[in-house]
Amino acid sequence: MTDNEPITWDNSVILSWFDFKAEHHVAKFEDAFSVIKYGFTWTVDSEKIGKEVIFSIKNIKIFPQFFPTLSSVRISEKNERLLNHEQGCFDLAELVKRKYIADIEKIFQGKSYPTRGKNEEQDKQYAREDSGKMLNIEIEKLENLFLKEKSEYQKLTEFGNNSQKQNQYNFEFNKLRISNL
């Protein structure tokens, strides 16, 4: 893994200021800016029923990723309180994922979709492509939910300056460190 690759959330991952590699734009309101998105993997199962090939989507795995080369901090504002708040943004992405993963899985559970290829090889290729597009739609919805909850987190904690609210969130985030989900 290089220093420029995304950092995938894990209960043992703790961000450091070294992970914020982008140059901070002077016009940015925030003293630190974390770019967090969701990566995902899945399995496509296909079967032939008569002349038609259908596919299903299984084993969906979603994982928050922090992007160091897109994340920045105002040098004059580097401190532990702010770093803890930014770690909270990353942890919040994991909480949001856990909250909605069952809903996403349910969308595809037990469903089959037709392929559109002209032969078996194209069927497999299009099944992978189409399933990825279908999942991407749901991931975009998840990212929008995360951004909404992140905005609320930042507002309530005043970007980490409201220690009482930040500590309430930290209590929830700390549960992630001890869970094996």
Side-chain angles (χ1 to χ4, degrees):
M1 183 167 97
T2 69
D3 288 342
N4 296 330
E5 290 181 18
I7 299 169
T8 300
W9 192 95
D10 181 276
N11 65 358
S12 64
V13 171
I14 304 294
L15 298 175
S16 73
W17 286 127
F18 177 75
D19 297 318
F20 292 73
K21 298 185 181 300
E23 186 174 327
H24 198 73
H25 193 281
V26 293
K28 274 205 183 294
F29 168 76
E30 302 99 336
D31 290 329
F33 184 74
S34 297
V35 174
I36 300 164
K37 301 231 177 245
Y38 290 101
F40 60 98
T41 62
W42 71 101
T43 303
V44 177
D45 282 344
S46 60
E47 67 177 287
K48 192 168 189 172
I49 299 177
K51 292 183 178 184
E52 186 177 43
V53 176
I54 60 169
F55 70 90
S56 59
I57 299 169
K58 298 180 178 176
N59 304 319
I60 300 168
K61 305 285 186 239
I62 302 172
F63 38 91
Q65 294 182 302
F66 174 89
F67 288 80
T69 57
L70 301 174
S71 301
S72 65
V73 61
R74 193 179 321 276
I75 301 291
S76 63
E77 299 302 319
K78 279 185 179 181
N79 60 57
E80 287 304 308
R81 175 202 49 77
L82 183 57
L83 182 59
N84 177 64
H85 178 76
E86 293 304 309
Q87 176 69 46
C89 292
F90 199 20
D91 293 341
L92 183 63
E94 176 67 12
L95 280 176
V96 169
K97 177 204 84 173
R98 291 183 187 193
K99 189 174 177 180
Y100 294 104
I101 185 71
D103 294 340
I104 293 171
E105 289 171 339
K106 194 180 289 183
I107 291 168
F108 300 104
Q109 188 174 19
K111 294 184 181 161
S112 297
Y113 307 92
T115 56
R116 57 189 171 98
K118 292 184 169 101
N119 56 49
E120 191 173 334
E121 191 60 36
Q122 279 188 351
D123 284 338
K124 289 179 183 179
Q125 178 183 347
Y126 285 130
R128 182 74 178 166
E129 182 181 314
D130 293 347
S131 63
K133 287 178 181 177
M134 294 164 71
L135 272 168
N136 197 53
I137 289 168
E138 300 309 317
I139 297 301
E140 285 179 16
K141 291 176 186 175
L142 181 65
E143 286 179 345
N144 287 332
L145 289 168
F146 165 63
L147 290 175
K148 182 178 176 183
E149 291 202 27
K150 179 182 173 186
S151 177
E152 183 73 7
Y153 165 68
Q154 291 177 322
K155 178 181 166 187
L156 290 174
T157 64
E158 299 168 29
F159 294 89
N161 289 315
N162 182 327
S163 59
Q164 180 184 9
K165 288 291 185 187
Q166 184 67 55
N167 287 337
Q168 288 173 351
Y169 273 96
N170 289 346
F171 180 76
E172 295 302 315
F173 298 151
N174 287 335
K175 290 178 185 178
L176 293 172
R177 305 261 163 246
I178 57 175
S179 78
N180 291 324
L181 294 176

